[in-house]
Each structure stands twice: as C-alpha cells, then as structure tokens.
Amino acid sequence: MINRISNSIRNIGLKFKNQKNNNSNGKLYSQNDQEMIDTFRAYIATETYRSCYYEHDGDFNKFIEKGDETIDRIIEKSPKYSEQRNRIQEILESQIREMFELIHSYGGENSYPPPLKNLPYYSMEEKLKRCLQIKQTNIQGKPIDHPRGFRLHVKKSDINHEEAGYGVHVEGECVPGTIVAIYPGDTYDGDNIPSNVVSDNDYMMSRYDGTVIDGRSWNRRADELILKEKFFNKLGTKSTGTDLLCYKNPFAIGNFINHPPIIKDNNGNDTDQTKEPNVIAYSFNFRSNFPNHLSFYIPNKTATEHSIFKDSSVLRRSLLLVAFKPIKNQEIFLNYRFNPDLPYPNWYKQPDLEEAKRRWGSRRSLSIHSILNRN
C-alpha cells in the first residue's frame, strides 16, 4: 500500500520533469514543483490519518484491510492544491492542539538527554567527542507519551557512524499522518541570517517561504538552562513562570532526528542506497488565534523576519515532522535534502537526487490565482 503511494508521488515527479524537458523556455528544476509534490505527499499522509482515526476508530489494521480501496479514493479524488493545503492544515492543527493540551495538563517537561558538560556544538572535533560519549555512556532522554498511544524516546542512534549521536525512536506503532515532532529553534528570514549562525551549522532547516530554523541554538540554550541551577529549578515541574515553558515541550525533538543511513552490503561496504525516510517535514504556522495558555509551549522564537512581507496573522513560524509511513519500534529518519551543488559530508547520501535538484532549483513567479488553483 505504501509502495503504491510512493510510486504515485514518483510519477508526479517524472511528470514535472517531462513537462520541463518539453518546454524549451522553462527551467528543468523548480522549487514550485517540489513544493506541490511535498504537499501531495503530506496530503496523502494526513488523509490516511483522517481515515484511520475518523473512520476506523484508530485501528490501523482495519484501515489496512481496506487499504487499496481507501488509498485509491484518496489519490483519485485528491482536490486542487489549495484545498489539499486546507485539509492538511485542518488535521495538523487538530493534532497540535491535542498535543499541546496534553503538555499543558502536566506543565510540560524536558525530554532532552542530560547535558554533556564542556562539549559544545561548534567544531567537528567537539561534535565527534559528543557522539563518542553518547555511544559509550548510552545517555538517554525521558520517554515521551504521545496522545496516539506510542512513545518517543531520544537516545543513541542505531546508525553505525562516528558522527551519529542521538536519534529519535518510536516505541510502539505510529500511523502515517501523525505529527511525531516539532523542529525547535530560532526562526530567521532567509535573507537576514548572521554569519555566525550559519557557520558550521548542520542544524539549519529551511522552508519554501524562505524561513530558516536554527536548531543548534535551541540545543545549546536548553543545555545551558539545565546546567544553571536557578534555571533548572524554574524548569522543574512546580514552575509557575511562562518564559521558559517553550523549553518544556517534550515534542520539540525534531533536531535529534537523523538523515537515513547508507545501506551496507554483505561485506560491510557502503552501497549507493540509503534507508528510506519515514517522516516528512511540513511548514506550519502557529496563528495569532492559537490559545494563549498553549502558546507558551511553542518551541520557536522569531529572530528576524521579512520587514515587507510580514504576516500579522502568524504568531510563530515552525516546521512539523509528520510520519509518512507506518513506524513501529523504529528510529525516525528524515531526508535532510542537502543542496546537491554543495559538497556532502562523508556520512550523507542523497536518497532522491531529482527531488533535491527541484528543491534547490529556481523559484518561478506565479500569480496567486495559479498557485491556489493548480492541481
């Protein structure tokens, strides 16, 4: 069933590629096309979630029994792009509120592993030391109970590589379309990021609208707060303050999710393939009407934003990590989609080069009407 979905998305990518090849005036790789493919992928995932929980009492096995029939309906009756986005937003908004209400019910908690003293995030040498200590000591965070019945756990990654430290693991079974994590950090307008933030930073995540989220700063600040006793007390369960509640969102762990590892052959040598990612990143805006008592737990802070195109209806810009495949007792993997025009680190292999080229291709100027009504 999931393979059928993947093939459908792959065919859409080929369709866009062929359209560009047949258009001598067009450019082969366009971010607009990949954004639409990613939206369709998120639409399929969230419609699967909708069907499972709204039509099959949350029983994924019942959904599987009618899987082909249901997936056919989802794919064949998919609405226009604008309606896809509306339906995705509806499901994600519902889940976010459910997750945040759960957090608020117990006052939140920090699910990060204990800080590693004197090992900051800046140089590669320091990063390797951190990863080695994580592997040797098996340091773990506190398991997180998800509203949908499974647990999330930040602990050492299953990836056998010197630069692989922590990873996020699902304990139990997670249905496609489920939000598994939020990517925390300071948000920047892509044209206004300080050079010291970008330097040697592999925790940067970008959205199609140009927003960039720096997860490294969040890691470092969370560690610093816990190491300082006065802040640690405020972060305790009896805290009544609100300024530090954003660091007590246990689902703000997207910065610990790894890129899919390279598959080894029978002799232990690297192949040209990676494991397939099982989550996707989807842009999400916390709106100004988001409940005030829940807004304190939003794990994103605005550092810079576009001075001209500022949207007053947006409270905070964020990025959600959403399951695209069923995940059962597995580590979570996200395709980082590094720019193919830049050199890769030795642990990185591109799972889908065509997707990456589209993601980092040119941005076409389209009218609002054409964007909202394109299939």
Side-chain angles (χ1 to χ4, degrees):
M1 179 185 66
I2 298 301
N3 288 335
R4 292 184 60 250
I5 297 173
S6 300
N7 290 336
S8 297
I9 292 172
R10 199 169 289 116
N11 290 337
I12 291 173
L14 290 174
K15 179 185 74 171
F16 282 124
K17 179 179 179 181
N18 291 334
Q19 285 177 348
K20 298 299 174 299
N21 282 328
N22 294 329
N23 180 3
S24 59
N25 296 321
K27 293 184 178 180
L28 179 59
Y29 297 109
S30 166
Q31 288 188 30
N32 304 70
D33 292 340
Q34 190 57 46
E35 183 177 7
M36 293 177 67
I37 294 172
D38 288 346
T39 299
F40 184 57
R41 181 184 278 113
Y43 169 76
I44 292 174
T46 51
E47 287 300 303
T48 298
Y49 178 96
R50 186 194 299 270
S51 178
C52 180
Y53 285 105
Y54 293 16
E55 300 172 9
H56 298 92
D57 302 319
D59 189 337
F60 191 58
N61 290 326
K62 289 183 180 179
F63 175 85
I64 291 294
E65 290 175 4
K66 297 184 179 181
D68 287 346
E69 174 187 334
T70 306
I71 293 300
D72 283 339
R73 173 172 55 82
I74 292 173
I75 295 174
E76 293 172 6
K77 295 185 177 181
S78 59
K80 294 181 185 244
Y81 176 68
S82 58
E83 182 58 27
Q84 288 180 26
R85 291 185 53 155
N86 290 340
R87 290 178 69 86
I88 294 168
Q89 178 70 25
E90 178 187 340
I91 289 295
L92 297 183
E93 178 80 22
S94 173
Q95 290 190 59
I96 278 290
R97 293 200 180 210
E98 180 182 41
M99 294 166 73
F100 276 51
E101 287 288 3
L102 175 63
I103 296 168
H104 181 66
S105 70
Y106 56 79
E109 60 185 343
N110 190 316
S111 58
Y112 286 14
L116 300 176
K117 295 182 180 180
N118 303 319
L119 289 174
Y121 294 83
Y122 301 108
S123 72
M124 177 57 67
E125 181 182 0
E126 290 158 345
K127 180 178 179 180
L128 292 176
K129 287 179 180 179
R130 289 177 65 86
C131 293
L132 179 62
Q133 186 169 338
I134 290 167
K135 289 181 172 69
Q136 290 177 336
T137 59
N138 196 23
I139 299 171
Q140 302 184 13
K142 184 176 181 179
I144 311 156
D145 290 321
H146 193 281
R148 290 303 170 188
F150 58 90
R151 303 178 99 185
L152 295 161
H153 201 175
V154 179
K155 56 185 179 181
K156 71 177 181 180
S157 174
D158 293 333
I159 299 175
N160 184 21
H161 192 279
E162 63 178 355
E163 293 183 44
Y166 294 119
V168 179
H169 301 255
V170 167
E171 298 173 353
E173 187 168 6
C174 172
V175 171
T178 305
I179 299 171
V180 295
I182 305 168
Y183 198 86
D186 297 325
T187 64
Y188 293 86
D189 167 47
D191 294 326
N192 190 11
I193 309 177
S195 58
N196 65 308
V197 172
V198 179
S199 179
D200 295 323
N201 189 351
D202 52 4
Y203 286 90
M204 305 286 281
M205 293 287 288
S206 63
R207 309 194 328 174
Y208 283 106
D209 64 357
T211 299
V212 177
I213 304 177
D214 174 22
R216 182 177 68 179
S217 64
W218 203 265
N219 282 20
R220 187 172 63 248
R221 202 174 299 128
D223 277 4
E224 289 172 350
L225 291 174
I226 294 174
L227 286 172
K228 295 179 181 178
E229 185 177 358
K230 62 178 181 179
F231 286 118
F232 180 84
N233 291 335
K234 288 184 180 180
L235 285 168
T237 55
K238 295 181 180 180
S239 173
T240 57
T242 59
D243 57 329
L244 298 177
L245 290 180
C246 57
Y247 299 102
K248 295 180 65 179
N249 186 324
F251 299 106
I253 54 175
N255 46 337
F256 288 103
I257 295 176
N258 286 307
H259 182 77
I262 299 171
I263 295 175
K264 304 281 188 180
D265 62 20
N266 294 334
N267 296 320
N269 300 315
D270 291 348
T271 67
D272 292 330
Q273 296 179 312
T274 69
K275 287 189 176 181
E276 292 190 3
N278 47 24
V279 299
I280 53 177
Y282 193 80
S283 300
F284 182 83
N285 291 331
F286 289 89
R287 296 289 175 180
S288 55
N289 62 353
F290 193 69
N292 185 60
H293 69 287
L294 303 180
S295 64
F296 301 113
Y297 297 98
I298 299 175
N300 301 102
K301 291 185 177 181
T302 303
T304 65
E305 59 185 336
H306 204 291
S307 58
I308 298 177
F309 298 106
K310 182 178 178 180
D311 187 347
S312 59
S313 69
V314 175
L315 176 64
R316 221 68 57 79
R317 293 163 291 169
S318 190
L319 200 64
L320 304 181
L321 289 308
V322 181
F324 175 63
K325 299 184 177 185
I327 307 174
K328 184 175 182 179
N329 298 322
Q330 291 175 282
E331 184 171 351
I332 298 174
F333 296 120
L334 168 72
N335 182 1
Y336 286 1
R337 263 194 207 151
F338 285 171
N339 190 334
D341 292 332
L342 299 176
Y344 293 154
N346 62 2
W347 52 264
Y348 183 89
K349 187 172 287 291
Q350 194 69 257
D352 192 320
L353 184 58
E354 292 294 313
E355 280 196 358
K357 287 181 176 179
R358 284 192 296 266
R359 174 62 183 89
W360 294 98
S362 63
R363 189 79 183 175
R364 293 197 315 274
S365 296
L366 296 175
S367 69
I368 293 177
H369 176 79
S370 65
I371 291 176
L372 293 181
N373 293 285
R374 188 175 176 184
N375 269 319

